[in-house]
Amino acid sequence: MVRIWADVRGAFAFLTVFPIPWPGTTRPGRTFAYYPLVGLAIGAVVAALAALDGLPDGLRSFLALAAWVILTGGLHLDGFGDACDGLLATVEPSRRLEIMKDPRAGSWAVIGLVLLLLGKWTALGAVEPVRLLLPPVIGRWAMVLAVAGFPYARASGLGSFFREGFGRAQVAAASVTALVVCAAFGFPVMLAGLAGPALAWIGGAWAARRLGGGLAGDVYGALCELTELVCLIALVNL
């Protein structure tokens, strides 16, 4: 139980700005088991803000989106921007990895982030608030599946560090959590959950080809953001 609690704390400490200290684990890969749980907590805050009464729809959507960004510390948005710059560059795979490490934002990062946030803001106003629990869960599930499905593209780095202790048990635990949340909404809403494995596989395979056979940490964040957006759009029509 102590180890489980440490892993839960590690997941929240890494993925959110909640004032939870890093537990100091030497096997951070075990925290992946609880990524969808972190998504559920984020989704609860987003859903609560989206359900506020007495505010214009656009303002509620803005507050919900702002909280969504702030709670994650912009972690995945940063990865999405870097991935846009690197993956869309017409250069060699090794150069793409270098571009993704550059702290400066290029034109593709700016364009991609604007479109992503605009898409989320637009969809937020068209989705029933309680259903907003789902996209953050599915987005973080997609990250777990991508880590399991593709090798790491760099010899070292944060992504490599977080693979220590990662294995089938973490994939199974994360998948069970995500599937339970999906099932709670029933059919056909649960179909939006398919965005997780679909983008982890299709997006991950495309990115891996662009990077020479593996994925980098920025790509995991990008897949999370894209999955959330696709899940939101699917919920608008379900």
Side-chain angles (χ1 to χ4, degrees):
M1 182 61 70
V2 173
R3 193 192 77 177
I4 292 175
W5 176 235
D7 294 340
V8 172
R9 285 169 49 209
F12 275 89
F14 179 60
L15 295 177
T16 73
V17 296
F18 292 136
I20 300 174
W22 177 253
T25 177
T26 57
R27 304 190 71 191
R30 295 192 306 227
T31 65
F32 279 97
Y34 306 101
Y35 275 25
L37 181 63
V38 174
L40 187 61
I42 294 172
V45 176
V46 173
L49 289 172
L52 287 174
D53 291 327
L55 294 176
D57 291 344
L59 182 56
R60 284 201 304 268
S61 295
F62 170 75
L63 292 175
L65 180 58
W68 202 339
V69 173
I70 292 169
L71 286 174
T72 63
L75 177 66
H76 308 312
L77 285 174
D78 180 68
F80 179 83
D82 288 341
C84 285
D85 275 341
L87 293 175
L88 298 177
T90 55
V91 294
E92 294 298 317
S94 58
R95 178 57 183 150
R96 291 190 182 108
L97 288 169
E98 292 177 6
I99 292 173
M100 288 165 63
K101 290 183 68 175
D102 192 328
R104 295 170 295 181
S107 58
W108 279 120
V110 175
I111 293 169
L113 287 168
V114 169
L115 292 175
L116 175 76
L117 292 173
L118 182 60
K120 281 191 170 185
W121 177 76
T122 303
L124 274 167
V127 176
E128 184 181 354
V130 69
R131 293 182 175 183
L132 296 176
L133 291 167
L134 191 58
V137 173
I138 303 305
R140 281 145 194 81
W141 183 32
M143 286 199 294
V144 177
L145 296 177
V147 172
F150 301 93
Y152 191 58
R154 303 184 193 276
S156 61
L158 190 61
S160 179
F161 170 70
F162 268 85
R163 282 178 174 267
E164 292 294 329
F166 177 79
R168 293 180 179 177
Q170 285 68 43
V171 178
S175 297
V176 167
T177 302
L179 291 172
V180 167
V181 174
C182 287
F185 286 95
F187 189 87
V189 173
M190 63 185 298
L191 292 176
L194 295 177
L199 281 171
W201 177 251
I202 298 172
W206 177 78
R209 287 197 300 270
R210 300 287 286 176
L211 297 177
L215 301 182
D218 289 326
V219 178
Y220 302 143
L223 289 173
C224 177
E225 291 290 344
L226 281 175
T227 301
E228 289 177 340
L229 177 60
V230 172
C231 189
L232 276 172
I233 293 172
L235 289 173
V236 172
N237 298 296
L238 290 175

